[in-house]
Amino acid sequence: MLFRLVLVLSLGSATLPAVAQVPLATPADTTLNKYQTPAGAAKKAWYKGKLVRASLVPALLITYGAITAQGDAGINREIRTFVRQQFRPVSTRFDDALLLAPYAELGLVALAGVESRSDRINTLLVIVKAEAIMLASVYAVKSLSRETRPDGDDNYSFPSGHTAQAFLAASIVHTEFRDKSQWYGVGAYTIATSVAALRMINDKHWQSDVVAGAGFGILSAHLAYLTHRNRWGRQPRLLRETSLSPTYVPGGGMGLGLVWRPRR
């Protein structure tokens, strides 16, 4: 019995080096191809795709705004009359300051130590891309629509740029912190809605302008996230494949060596 036990233990220990020499499998990098459909996975119907779900609500807002953009007529006239009876104009400087307030919330929450969905660099890249999409689309439509403002100041009423800016920033705040608490998004969207209301109170926009502006802002933020290919919280590939090291230059000088190892 003892001989059998010793034999079993000896055979087991003899196999350990062989097991130790087997290389461990490297975990698959799922973030690299997260925008690609996995092999063998059933393809979703087009109406269930991310782009459709992300653009549904903004498209409804923009469509409603375009349909009701009739100047001083229809529902535009009715709501303008109601607003002028219930509210007095407010300084437009307050509009200008409040439209960036969601970004201030984004910074304050981050400084408070609340972890956002993406790191600081990627958040900044998304903001820059979203702002470019929003500015290009809003001012292109303004130039094409030539809608006169309620106060007759100019012909760039539709859609509201202030509202688009505020809702873009609010959408980014909501996306970054919705996993922590929905209240961050609620606060940001409340600020954005206040901007839209002030634009009507100050007789700068029709209701169709602010509704469409909200759609353009939300859509711009969603498109920026959908088209962003950086890997959240990871070092960019260029930096991972680059190394710096001090070197000695013949003649008594010191230098810095750069080594780049491109992947095949």
Side-chain angles (χ1 to χ4, degrees), residues 64-238:
Y64 169 84
I67 293 174
T68 60
Q70 303 171 356
D72 192 15
I75 191 171
N76 275 350
R77 174 182 291 180
E78 295 175 7
I79 292 183
R80 184 193 183 207
T81 301
F82 172 79
V83 170
R84 295 181 71 180
Q85 291 175 348
Q86 302 296 325
F87 303 97
R88 294 181 178 180
V90 182
S91 173
T92 54
R93 292 183 179 179
F94 191 54
D95 300 4
D96 298 335
L98 196 61
L99 66 91
L100 295 176
Y103 281 147
E105 179 188 353
L106 180 68
L108 290 174
V109 173
L111 288 175
V114 180
E115 187 177 355
S116 58
R117 167 187 169 179
S118 49
D119 58 83
R120 303 292 183 265
I121 294 178
N122 280 304
T123 302
L124 180 61
L125 291 174
V126 168
I127 290 174
V128 171
K129 185 184 295 185
E131 291 285 349
I133 295 172
M134 184 274 294
L135 291 172
S137 58
V138 165
Y139 284 98
V141 176
K142 280 179 176 288
S143 299
L144 293 173
S145 63
R146 305 291 296 175
E147 181 78 22
T148 304
R149 294 183 186 272
D151 62 357
D153 189 31
D154 57 41
N155 296 325
Y156 295 102
S157 186
F158 181 86
S160 169
H162 279 67
T163 307
Q165 174 64 74
F167 273 87
L168 183 157
S171 184
I172 289 178
V173 171
H174 172 67
T175 302
E176 289 297 326
F177 297 110
R178 65 187 175 190
D179 294 334
K180 301 299 180 182
S181 175
Q182 293 290 337
W183 287 106
Y184 297 120
V186 171
Y189 279 120
T190 300
I191 295 172
T193 304
S194 301
V195 172
L198 286 171
R199 297 307 284 171
M200 291 190 294
I201 292 172
N202 290 332
D203 215 24
K204 289 295 183 181
H205 285 288
W206 309 101
Q207 62 86 32
S208 57
D209 303 337
V210 298
V211 173
F216 276 103
I218 297 172
L219 181 61
S220 299
H222 288 179
L223 290 178
Y225 276 106
L226 286 174
T227 58
H228 193 60
R229 292 297 191 271
N230 280 39
R231 299 158 76 180
W232 308 113
R234 296 199 173 202
Q235 196 177 32
R237 177 181 297 181
L238 179 61

